[in-house]
Amino acid sequence: MVTETTKGKYNVIGTRPIRHDGYDKVTGRAIYGADVKLPGLLQGAVLRSPHAHARIKSIDTSAAKAMAGVHAVITHADFPAAEAKLVDLGEGAVNFHYASNNVMAAEKVLYKGHPVAAVAAVDKNTALEAAAAIKVEYEVLTPVTRVLDAMKPGAPIVLEDLEGQDLGEKIVGPTNQANHFRHEFGDVDKGFAEADVIVEHDFDTAMVHQGYIEPHNATATWDEEGRITVWTSTQGAFAARRQVAGILRTSDSNVKVIPLEIGGGFGGKIPTYLEPLAAILSRETGRPVKLLMERSSVFEASGPTPGSWMNVKVGVKKDGTITAATADLRFDAGAYPGSPVGAAAMCVFSAYDIPNTRIDGYDIVVNKPKTAAYRAPGATHAAFAMESVVDEICEKIGMDPLEFRIKNGAKEGTRRADGPIHPRIGAIETHQAAMASDHWQSKLEKNGPDGKLRGRGVATGYWFNIGLKSAVTISVNEDGTVALTEGSTDIGGSRASIAMQAAEVLGIPVESVRPHVADTESIGYTDVTGGSRTTYATGYAAHDAAQDVVSQLRERAAKLWDVDPEEIEFANGSYQSKSDPELRLTHKELASRLGSTGGPVVGSASVDPEGAGGAYSTQIADVEIDPETGKTDVIRFTIVQDVGTAIHPSYVEGQMQGAVAQGIGWALNEEYFFNDDGAMVNSSFLDYRMPTSLDLPEIETIIVEVPNPGHPFGVRGVGEVPIVPPVATIANAIHDALGIRLRETPMNPGRIRAALDEKG
Amino acid sequence: MVEKVRVRATLNGEPVDFLVAPYISLLDTLRDELGLTGTKEGCNDGNCGACTVNLDGRIVDSCCVLGAEIDGSTVETIEGMAEPGRLHPLQQTFLEEAALQCGICTPGFLVSAKALLEKEPHPSEERIRFWLAGNLCRCTGYDKIIKAVQKAAELA
Ligand code: FES
Ligand code: FES
């Protein structure tokens, strides 16, 4: 279902064309990172730490090096000493010293799966055998994997050189606390004193993984000039270039990254892992080298999203007005600083208008893989805590949960608890659409078959979205089609959504636009596909580049008719003289005359837009639970979301549905399970259970369109906010079914059974 | 060096005759030895279905079969699904229904779904969900995949 706000306004936007890259993807022709083949290609393998925390005493590579077919073996000693400086990657920042140590351990290994050596050999099996022949002597250290344990005095220290911060002050002595910040507004003590009802709880969430189906991969060459070329599946070719250059201590321009098709990322394919290793192996062998990550290492050694401990406290008056709220958010960053706790703090209260707030955020290092972005990073955790507390408040004061959210809802002009003022947003409209939905209006029969019990939950979520830099060039072909070159890797239909925006401006069919994702030497700087920015910012650049084409074509028409360009009107793909309406040429006709009016036309634009605008999603879940086994089935799910303007509604719905599916997995099953030695023990798709088609119901979508004033077509980012509410939505539905509140994830059968036993 | 094994099989309707080391999986045989990279690797241990191919009329995870095992067999991969210039109805409905996002799972889903429709031309939604439960997709939430299979079944 799509609301009708954009209806009739556009020719191309809002339609559902077949995506340009679709044919290659349904026939197996599309080339993903693992499919790259180069002459003389060597295959690599990585030796990884079996320990979660250990000092490397020695590495003996002699036996591996002596094996037939082995071309090179490298360790951290083959890496240049990286600079300890923080560099922005668009979504998140990187400290190259830590990034270098993360891709190849230096003195210590900090998590199970941490690379300690890598091999290049004639084939995969030889490389694996050689890796197994490397002897590493470790001094095993005590690991720490939980945030609260890592914060205790006397906890094992993960990074001896970490300079911790507490409220802007440097921490003296060793610590696992990378940072503690605070946002404070109003007077929370006064606010809580005014409250009639106060609810406060602790929450605990397990580390989870993005779960993209394509493992990480990288192929690289290092030539005689010292120039590095990398073929990889990445969310950002320029971000990969910056990391490779930073880790290998060369300039960005010395590295060329060729992005291949990418099999999912969700934030997890922003960091580089194998790329620098493949490059160094190529430097050592003089041959191209390819590395593929095994699935177990994807779990153990890529960048999952943190486990967390949180406390949220909210006070309300009897009439439902929120008077004060506090949040204490403690996130595990993994082995190096940089959890998404900052983003969690930006989101935790942002669906509401609250006069008095305080938010504390802690970034804590632990012996787990370094976390990376995962779809609205940090916001899902925060919403789980906040929306569970809000649900309990609504129950206590006897108020409809959607009415409560409308009453206290953030709107244009509301100040976010971390400072910024909301521009035009669609929180209230989203709640209203949820309220009017068939799902919310329908009655749920509380008793299911075979003694199963049913419940309904609702929750909302916010994500701020980002803008950042994008470049697009459009060249006009003589047959009237255009080639559109962009730097945003296409993870889920963005070639189409960007091409549609160009087609809309040019007044041509979307099939006449041929979008192409280029390497770092063929397009201007473009930030990562992340932060829900691609359709927004790269779409913005496509709009501006198309306008550049229009203005150049207008000049060509003026030249042909010998009139002033101002004399020419452009509408619906036609150029027409205002004074002599007989003089009229379509885009296509004009394109065929370019050769005789000055040569080819190329339009271009580079943008860094500020007005990404925030997005809201409100979700409704019906669950059916077997109290005997504790198993939860989601029997109906509706997602409502403000998307600004839906460029390609099918792919907008796809983002909404896919995120909900991930959120349901996060809520009910998924977790990193660590043993006492700090090792992840469920690093396979068999044991890390992601939802299958059989585990999920149809996911109903309701698109709300409150156009974003910060984009020429009103686009808001859509990819991330849909994963913010699902965990809380399911928790609230479980409460409705069973009368128990689970404040730990996953809410698996064991936890449900235990909570039922406790309730008695 | 282990001696390679000679294998003769029918691959996407064409005879093939090749040598492969006995420990190489069918997945790697297809991708590395025979140059057919449309079949994808997601896990290499039988738990994602990205590597699904049709082996003598049955769908299998090609990462869990050896290349040497297909001697005398008939194998169909994603590359054999379309007629020259004409997509299989499932390929067409996957495009129309936006049943793929990143597309890495798509070849596996298509090969699985084709086998289902050949066996049962008009499966229920529940049956489709059951049949495809061996194929993981992390992007779509499955909804549009199920709809695309239903639509292809209606067209048949
Ligand atoms: S790669 Fe074969 S099942 Fe996953
Ligand atoms: S479309 Fe990405 S895994 Fe299915």
Side-chain angles (χ1 to χ4, degrees):
Chain A
M1 183 182 140
V2 183
T3 50
E4 305 283 299
T5 54
T6 54
K7 201 168 175 174
K9 215 169 150 190
Y10 300 116
N11 294 316
V12 179
I13 288 169
T15 64
R16 302 176 185 240
I18 287 178
R19 62 196 276 183
H20 304 75
D21 54 323
Y23 295 97
D24 283 348
K25 285 179 178 163
V26 298
T27 52
R29 287 194 300 264
I31 302 297
Y32 291 74
D35 305 336
V36 168
K37 292 216 161 66
L38 294 169
L41 187 64
L42 296 174
Q43 305 288 338
V46 178
L47 178 69
R48 295 171 182 277
S49 167
H51 306 294
H53 195 191
R55 203 169 297 286
I56 300 172
K57 292 175 75 179
S58 66
I59 305 178
D60 179 0
T61 59
S62 54
K65 278 183 172 150
M67 285 171 67
V70 172
H71 285 246
V73 182
I74 60 164
T75 65
H76 198 270
D78 297 290
F79 279 65
E83 252 179 310
K85 83 170 188 220
L86 210 61
V87 173
D88 191 35
L89 284 185
E91 207 175 42
V94 63
N95 168 324
F96 287 131
H97 166 61
Y98 287 146
S100 171
N101 286 0
N102 191 32
V103 300
M104 188 65 88
E107 293 92 38
K108 288 210 307 185
V109 290
L110 301 178
Y111 52 91
K112 181 189 170 195
H114 201 159
V116 289
V119 181
V122 287
D123 58 36
K124 253 192 249 181
N125 280 70
T126 310
L128 286 169
E129 278 173 27
I134 298 167
K135 291 185 202 77
V136 186
E137 215 189 317
Y138 295 100
E139 176 197 339
V140 177
L141 306 170
T142 309
V144 60
T145 57
R146 296 184 70 86
V147 163
L148 294 187
D149 294 342
M151 292 177 79
K152 282 185 190 142
I157 294 298
V158 178
L159 295 169
E160 277 87 3
D161 65 351
L162 179 68
E163 286 190 3
Q165 297 273 330
D166 195 274
L167 300 177
E169 305 278 324
K170 215 171 178 173
I171 296 174
V172 183
T175 180
N176 291 320
Q177 180 178 313
N179 196 16
H180 166 209
F181 61 84
R182 176 174 292 165
H183 302 297
E184 202 163 17
F185 273 100
D187 181 343
V188 289
D189 294 333
K190 186 172 146 272
F192 283 124
E194 286 163 14
D196 297 314
V197 174
I198 295 174
V199 173
E200 177 180 9
H201 289 293
D202 295 347
F203 295 83
D204 210 309
T205 69
M207 177 171 259
V208 297
H209 198 271
Q210 299 86 348
Y212 35 81
I213 304 298
E214 177 203 44
H216 297 264
N217 55 74
T219 305
T221 59
W222 187 310
D223 75 10
E224 295 72 15
E225 265 188 299
R227 289 192 42 81
I228 299 162
T229 305
V230 176
W231 293 258
T232 184
S233 301
T234 175
Q235 286 179 242
F238 288 88
R241 179 177 82 161
R242 179 154 297 167
Q243 292 172 81
V244 170
I247 291 170
L248 301 179
R249 296 293 302 256
T250 184
S251 61
D252 283 13
S253 62
N254 230 4
V255 179
K256 173 177 177 175
V257 175
I258 303 175
L260 284 309
E261 296 303 334
I262 167 172
F266 313 109
K269 286 186 186 150
I270 296 172
T272 57
Y273 299 100
L274 301 174
E275 292 83 347
L277 277 55
I280 293 184
L281 286 168
S282 177
R283 184 189 71 196
E284 297 300 307
T285 60
R287 306 251 300 255
V289 178
K290 183 187 211 172
L291 284 165
L292 303 176
M293 203 183 276
E294 309 79 35
R295 175 54 55 183
S296 56
S297 300
V298 174
F299 278 116
E300 291 167 1
S302 66
T305 203
S308 68
W309 178 90
M310 299 172 286
N311 173 283
V312 166
K313 178 178 175 184
V314 179
V316 295
K317 292 204 172 120
K318 274 201 219 76
D319 71 353
T321 311
I322 305 180
T323 58
T326 59
D328 181 347
L329 311 169
R330 304 179 184 196
F331 279 35
D332 65 44
Y336 303 96
S339 77
V341 68
M346 290 160 75
C347 296
V348 62
F349 298 139
S350 295
Y352 302 94
D353 184 354
I354 309 175
N356 307 295
T357 51
R358 186 177 63 228
I359 303 168
D360 284 280
Y362 295 84
D363 187 34
I364 307 294
V365 293
V366 293
N367 290 114
K368 295 197 221 172
K370 162 75 178 77
T371 59
Y374 177 16
R375 217 166 194 165
T380 304
H381 306 68
F384 173 46
M386 178 62 181
E387 295 297 290
S388 296
V389 165
V390 164
D391 199 63
E392 189 171 333
I393 284 174
C394 293
E395 187 194 4
K396 287 217 156 88
I397 62 172
M399 193 162 175
D400 176 283
L402 282 171
E403 248 166 53
F404 179 88
R405 286 170 175 86
I406 291 169
K407 182 181 171 69
N408 290 288
K411 43 187 155 321
E412 185 172 359
T414 303
R415 183 184 43 72
R416 238 166 58 183
D418 60 317
I421 307 290
H422 283 296
R424 178 77 173 98
I425 47 170
I428 307 267
E429 288 82 350
T430 305
H431 304 325
Q432 285 165 340
M435 215 171 208
S437 69
D438 174 67
H439 190 167
W440 190 252
Q441 294 297 329
S442 74
K443 199 177 139 30
L444 178 69
E445 180 51 60
K446 281 298 181 85
N447 292 304
D450 310 321
K452 290 179 189 167
L453 296 168
R454 290 176 177 164
R456 175 170 293 170
V458 65
T460 194
Y462 165 78
W463 179 250
F464 44 87
N465 294 328
I466 57 178
L468 300 180
K469 299 165 192 66
S470 283
V472 164
T473 62
I474 297 176
S475 55
V476 183
N477 297 315
E478 293 214 347
D479 64 358
T481 63
V482 302
L484 184 155
T485 306
E486 43 138 331
S488 292
T489 43
D490 181 352
I491 317 185
S494 57
R495 282 185 187 88
S497 67
I498 290 159
M500 288 170 78
Q501 296 179 60
E504 187 70 47
V505 174
L506 296 171
I508 60 177
V510 68
E511 293 77 16
S512 297
V513 182
R514 301 307 308 175
H516 167 66
V517 178
D519 65 63
T520 51
E521 292 180 355
S522 310
I523 184 69
Y525 180 86
T526 297
D527 275 305
V528 294
T529 295
S532 301
R533 62 173 293 279
T534 304
T535 299
Y536 169 75
T538 309
Y540 206 131
H543 168 275
D544 286 5
Q547 285 207 320
D548 185 18
V549 168
V550 168
S551 77
Q552 293 184 51
L553 289 181
R554 184 184 268 138
E555 280 166 26
R556 297 306 175 88
K559 200 166 174 187
L560 274 176
W561 299 327
D562 201 16
V563 296
D564 193 274
E566 294 302 307
E567 258 296 286
I568 291 176
E569 203 168 50
F570 171 73
N572 295 321
S574 285
Y575 298 79
Q576 191 166 27
S577 161
K578 283 183 202 158
S579 52
D580 181 358
E582 293 283 285
L583 296 176
R584 183 174 173 277
L585 286 173
T586 64
H587 166 90
K588 194 171 171 174
E589 288 160 347
L590 200 44
S592 71
R593 313 275 285 265
L594 294 181
S596 57
T597 53
V601 160
V602 178
S604 67
S606 180
V607 302
D608 188 4
E610 299 276 319
Y616 289 84
S617 177
T618 302
Q619 307 182 357
I620 309 162
D622 291 352
V623 298
E624 183 175 278
I625 306 170
D626 185 340
E628 293 284 318
T629 63
K631 178 165 188 299
T632 301
D633 285 317
V634 180
I635 55 172
R636 186 170 183 189
F637 203 104
T638 299
I639 166 169
V640 187
Q641 185 176 322
D642 170 27
V643 307
T645 297
I647 299 292
H648 191 309
S650 296
Y651 287 100
V652 169
E653 291 158 3
Q655 289 294 318
M656 293 161 73
Q657 292 169 328
V660 165
Q662 285 180 316
I664 290 174
W666 190 338
L668 294 175
N669 288 313
E670 295 178 30
E671 72 177 309
Y672 272 48
F673 199 88
F674 293 94
N675 66 14
D676 292 342
D677 298 329
M680 182 189 188
V681 293
N682 61 331
S683 53
S684 77
F685 279 144
L686 183 64
D687 299 315
Y688 183 95
R689 283 274 291 123
M690 308 199 307
T692 70
S693 50
L694 202 55
D695 298 321
L696 296 172
E698 178 188 349
I699 297 158
E700 298 164 49
T701 55
I702 297 175
I703 291 176
V704 174
E705 295 184 305
V706 177
N708 173 18
H711 185 278
F713 295 122
V715 170
R716 289 177 200 276
V718 300
E720 290 173 294
V721 72
I723 206 173
V724 181
V727 178
T729 308
I730 302 276
N732 294 341
I734 291 173
H735 172 262
D736 188 46
L738 304 178
I740 53 172
R741 289 214 180 263
L742 297 187
R743 301 189 183 95
E744 281 173 86
T745 64
M747 295 172 271
N748 56 23
R751 287 224 166 91
I752 289 185
R753 279 295 327 149
L756 283 173
D757 286 345
E758 199 179 311
K759 188 181 157 221
Chain B
M1 263 298 195
V2 194
E3 209 167 291
K4 290 190 174 180
V5 187
R6 183 175 181 186
V7 179
R8 276 159 293 194
T10 305
L11 178 59
N12 296 329
E14 302 272 334
V16 285
D17 187 344
F18 58 91
L19 297 175
V20 65
Y23 50 78
I24 302 287
S25 69
L26 175 56
L27 173 61
D28 286 349
T29 305
L30 291 167
R31 292 177 52 82
D32 300 338
E33 317 281 327
L34 303 171
L36 297 182
T37 53
T39 304
K40 300 302 180 193
E41 175 182 325
C43 67
N44 209 23
D45 59 12
N47 286 299
C48 77
C51 64
T52 306
V53 300
N54 193 308
L55 173 61
D56 291 329
R58 281 175 52 210
I59 48 168
V60 296
D61 289 334
S62 63
C63 66
C64 295
V65 177
L66 293 171
E69 282 182 88
I70 68 163
D71 190 42
S73 293
T74 298
V75 176
E76 278 173 44
T77 70
I78 184 65
E79 287 90 347
M81 198 157 163
E83 308 271 340
R86 212 181 76 235
L87 294 180
H88 185 278
L90 277 163
Q91 291 171 312
Q92 186 65 34
T93 57
F94 265 58
L95 290 179
E96 287 166 6
E97 293 301 306
L100 53 143
Q101 285 177 31
C102 78
I104 198 84
C105 68
T106 309
F109 271 97
L110 285 167
V111 170
S112 292
K114 179 169 179 265
L116 171 63
L117 295 188
E118 278 164 4
K119 221 167 93 91
E120 301 168 35
H122 299 288
S124 65
E125 180 188 336
E126 191 63 16
R127 180 70 181 144
I128 299 170
R129 285 186 180 273
F130 180 81
W131 183 273
L132 295 178
N135 290 83
L136 288 178
C137 175
R138 191 62 157 174
C139 298
T140 63
Y142 304 103
D143 222 83
K144 293 187 186 297
I145 295 177
I146 307 301
K147 296 217 163 70
V149 176
Q150 286 174 318
K151 188 168 169 187
E154 280 161 27
L155 292 177

